[in-house]
Amino acid sequence: MTRKLDVINIDAPDVRPQPTMPSACESHGCGGAEEQAQQLPAFGTVTVDGQEITEEQIAEEMPHHPAPTGEEAWRAAAQALVVRHLLMREAENRGLSREGDEEEGKRVTGDEALVKALLDDVVSDVLPTDEECERYYRSNRHRFRTPTLFEASHILIEPEEGVGEDGWLAAETQARTIIEVVENDPDAFAEAAREFSGCPSGQQNGSLGQIRRGELVQQVQAHIEATPIGTVNPQPVRSKHGWHVIRLDRIVEGQELPFDVVKEKIADLLEARSWTVSAMQLVHSLADAAEIEGIVLDAPPSDEDERRGTLAA
């Protein structure tokens, strides 16, 4: 099993796949929320056995730990640097080599190779049994489903720039007029999308393709789900990009996947989590033997977590 070194975090990694955006609408009112810029606060001096981890080092690390607030990002970055320091020092104490090997097609060398050598030397794989995999499956059936898909279309009416709320009112009026004209006629909707939509999907009759929950901005997704199949929603919906006329053509309900289909994936998941728990416990044993100031590492996982090879989902 291939592992990346960045799995050594204080919290368990999120292994669920993240949604992707329909390419036709990435920049026109149906994309996800924009990332918020991280602040770069300073919360004091962090040291490990008297060796300082500088504010500049923490600031450079913060972009790798996105979080809702600057304080949370700072804390995650400081913890990551402390962990890295502890692991590298232990690897050097054991006389391990910085000469790495291939991982995911890339040559691993230097500090990364040193940490990898330590983890390979100390942390062992624990393969889950079939019974453990089946027990995890029974407790997490909701995680092993195909996603519900919505086949929908939209017409984006963008407000005229530079005219303030009057532009929004005019866009809303146009959207409502389109709804009255096209009614539930799919051909009329497609024609209106090609003529009026400000989204690139307009050239595809307004089609958003098959979308999953989480791929569109919340208000648009909610409006799609509130639309009867085969109809145009009688009300337009506003997003920060304009007013949307919504049509829903089909819903493909998600289906539960049988155990035999996901058994191998569950085994990989439990093995990875077991490995991560063991690595985290190594980190905390090193932390217990060190004098760390300015940051507190979270509590290590319990022996029960290590035995079962699972963390809270």
Side-chain angles (χ1 to χ4, degrees):
M1 178 185 64
T2 301
R3 294 184 291 267
K4 294 184 179 180
L5 299 182
D6 58 9
V7 302
I8 308 303
N9 282 320
I10 301 305
D11 299 315
D14 185 355
V15 297
R16 290 169 291 184
Q18 298 300 310
T20 56
M21 293 301 307
S23 59
C25 300
E26 288 177 338
S27 60
H28 285 79
C30 37
E34 296 178 355
E35 294 183 0
Q36 297 181 353
Q38 291 286 354
Q39 298 179 349
L40 300 178
F43 293 100
T45 302
V46 177
T47 62
V48 181
D49 289 332
Q51 182 173 339
E52 181 179 0
I53 295 175
T54 67
E55 294 180 5
E56 290 77 10
Q57 289 174 314
I58 296 174
E60 290 177 1
E61 180 71 17
M62 282 179 65
H64 302 292
H65 305 272
T69 67
E71 180 178 358
E72 292 175 271
W74 183 93
R75 181 173 179 271
Q79 285 187 333
L81 291 174
V82 168
V83 168
R84 188 179 306 162
H85 178 92
L86 292 170
L87 292 173
M88 287 180 57
R89 187 173 65 181
E90 179 66 14
E92 290 171 348
N93 290 341
R94 290 171 178 255
L96 299 176
S97 172
R98 292 176 180 270
E99 291 300 321
D101 52 17
E102 294 288 334
E103 182 174 291
E104 295 186 351
K106 296 181 180 180
R107 182 74 177 174
V108 180
T109 58
D111 294 347
E112 187 177 5
L114 196 61
V115 172
K116 182 178 183 298
L118 173 64
L119 296 176
D120 289 343
D121 187 54
V122 176
V123 180
S124 59
D125 292 320
V126 179
L127 298 178
T129 65
D130 290 347
E131 291 76 13
E132 287 175 322
C133 292
E134 191 166 2
R135 182 165 61 249
Y136 185 86
Y137 172 78
R138 289 197 303 267
S139 300
N140 297 274
R141 287 178 180 270
H142 64 284
R143 299 187 64 184
F144 302 105
R145 295 179 58 88
T146 59
T148 296
L149 302 175
F150 300 85
E151 294 183 3
S153 304
H154 82 145
I155 301 171
L156 173 63
I157 305 301
E158 298 173 303
E160 183 181 350
E161 294 184 2
V163 296
E165 192 59 30
D166 287 343
W168 283 94
L169 290 173
E172 180 184 7
T173 298
Q174 184 180 1
R176 293 186 180 279
T177 299
I178 290 172
I179 291 172
E180 292 177 0
V181 171
V182 304
E183 296 182 327
N184 292 322
D185 184 342
D187 293 332
F189 184 98
E191 183 179 351
R194 291 193 299 271
E195 183 173 355
F196 299 111
S197 184
C199 177
S201 65
Q203 300 310 306
Q204 297 156 7
N205 301 330
S207 174
L208 294 169
Q210 291 188 333
I211 54 179
R212 299 180 293 178
R213 292 186 177 98
E215 291 184 336
L216 306 182
V217 293
Q218 184 176 0
Q219 60 267 44
V220 174
Q221 179 67 39
H223 213 65
I224 288 174
E225 297 192 32
T227 304
I229 296 175
T231 70
V232 173
N233 196 300
Q235 300 294 328
V237 60
R238 176 172 172 169
S239 77
K240 65 180 180 180
H241 297 282
W243 285 92
H244 304 256
V245 177
I246 298 295
R247 176 180 175 85
L248 178 62
D249 291 307
R250 184 185 177 205
I251 298 177
V252 181
E253 294 290 347
Q255 301 293 320
E256 184 176 291
L257 297 171
F259 175 69
D260 288 343
V261 172
V262 297
K263 176 182 176 181
E264 183 175 348
K265 180 179 294 185
I266 292 174
D268 288 343
L269 168 66
L270 296 186
E271 182 184 357
R273 287 187 168 184
S274 176
W275 186 91
T276 301
V277 168
S278 297
M280 291 163 64
Q281 291 187 330
L282 166 65
V283 167
H284 283 281
S285 69
L286 297 175
D288 287 342
E291 184 177 344
I292 301 172
E293 297 183 357
I295 193 71
V296 177
L297 300 187
D298 295 336
S302 67
D303 291 338
E304 178 67 11
D305 284 331
E306 182 180 25
R307 185 185 69 80
R308 295 174 60 193
T310 60
L311 299 172

